[in-house]
Amino acid sequence: MRIDKHIISQCAETRDSFYLYDESCILHSIKQLKTNFPQIEFLYSIKCNPKPHVLNCVFKQGFGADAASAGEVRSARKAGLHAEKIYYSAPGKSAKDIEDCLGKATLIADSTGEIERIQAAAEKAGTVANIGIRINPDFSFDGEGGKPSKFGIDEAQAIAFLKENTFKNIKVTGIHIHLKSQELDDRVLSAYYERVFRLAEKFAQICGKLDYINMGSGMGVPYAPGDAPLDLPAVSAAVEKNLEGFRTAYPDTKCIIEVGRFAVCKSGVYVTKVMDRKESCGKTYLILHNTLNGFIRPSLARLVAYYSSETAPAGSEPLFTAADGFEFSTLKEEEPSEKVTLAGNLCTAADVVAEDIWMPRLKCGDVVVISNAGSYAAALSPVQFSSQEKPAELFLTAEGEII
Ligand SMILES: *Cc1c(COP(=O)(O)O)cnc(C)c1O
């Protein structure tokens, strides 16, 4: 835990459950990206943590926005980003989403039907819009052949469509690819980026020129104790090498990588209080405040582990990463002395975040701190369930102020 225990304890005085995000930690992650990839432009995937303080912090570092909805386009605008730094990519945009976001962001069409709908909206607005298209390539993330996907337009379909059609009010000036999140193997990630460069060359020829290629995410963070962090310098070396070749033919094309969790996952902790303790048939239960409904991922991790026959079930991002992807700690300096099951205060037996783990003895009012809560945490939580009060979200600035 990087955040000072005194700060957590101070915040817990008046709250039973809350998130705390540490700006210094976000700045540290961003600096790692910027120093390792000086030629890459980064976008922040708002959906993983859309808190305004987080957005302000990330955008101030020069990141653009990967918006997954019209609402996220608005959040990015509100945080001060200009249209040219915002990319709106999501399947199933409504006519209103398209209309509202024209001119406020670069729309990335997710299907051929959507290309036509954006054309119609641009015509109605009397403008010519530069758009991108999301491609479902002929290759998969790990180097096998292409796979069916609800995202993007199959590579061959996109090529045929662009060759067969011309549009008066839109111009395709970029491509977007994103196939997987949470990769920790630098070789797999580097090989994926290399394939994306080859794909970009194909589309650059068809489109005349590309203003940008958005290579998606993939950059993972270590969740489980056995996870080794991604070797950024190794990925960087591979990307720079590819970029060199690409740039000789296409010197003006921006190369974009979008990240969510890499920027913010480690910055957040979820803090919840022991509301009750009880024994049942020899088992000790600590009843915590707002677990499944405040931070759903630890409960989901347990559910997946419970139902899966595999020892390390594959991730299903962003809901599930690893069965042992969260650390449960306390503010006590004592050694663990009792075996407890950490459950929540909801009316469901599935509301358990950890079973039979060793902890120092905790009494009512003591806090439990859960790690890896900066991304896909507050944003994913089913807070409407059983009308509990939402956990607060606090932001610790680099200057040490809590807001
Ligand atoms: C969610 C998402 C991301 C961010 O993924 P992380 O694993 O959090 O970095 C990037 N691109 C797209 C298209 C996404 O949907």
Side-chain angles (χ1 to χ4, degrees), residues 45 47-48 66 68 89 134 151 176-178 180-182 214 216-220 258-262 317-318 375-376:
S45 298
K47 73 175 188 290
C48 82
D66 161 34
S89 187
R134 181 156 174 183
F151 296 108
H176 178 206
I177 300 100
H178 171 73
K180 186 177 177 259
S181 277
Q182 186 52 24
N214 180 343
S217 179
M219 290 191 177
E258 50 191 9
V259 298
R261 72 190 68 209
F262 196 93
E317 297 297 343
S375 57
Y376 308 108

Side-chain angles (χ1 to χ4, degrees), residues 205-216:
Q205 281 169 14
I206 296 162
C207 298
K209 117 185 201 315
L210 293 177
D211 289 342
Y212 57 92
I213 55 173
N214 180 343
M215 310 202 280

Side-chain angles (χ1 to χ4, degrees), residues 32 35 69 132 144 149 258 264 315 335 377:
Q32 273 188 301
T35 43
S69 67
E144 289 163 18
S149 172
E258 50 191 9
V264 298
E335 290 299 309

Side-chain angles (χ1 to χ4, degrees), residues 4 10 18 23 56 65 74 88 97 124 127 158 193 201 235 237 240 245 289 334 337 356 362:
D4 194 280
Q10 188 190 330
F18 60 94
E23 181 173 38
N56 289 337
R74 284 192 287 276
Y88 172 19
D97 291 337
K124 197 170 142 204
T127 59
Y193 287 143
E201 285 161 359
V235 180
E240 293 280 321
H289 195 254
E334 298 147 34
S337 58
D356 296 332
L362 298 179

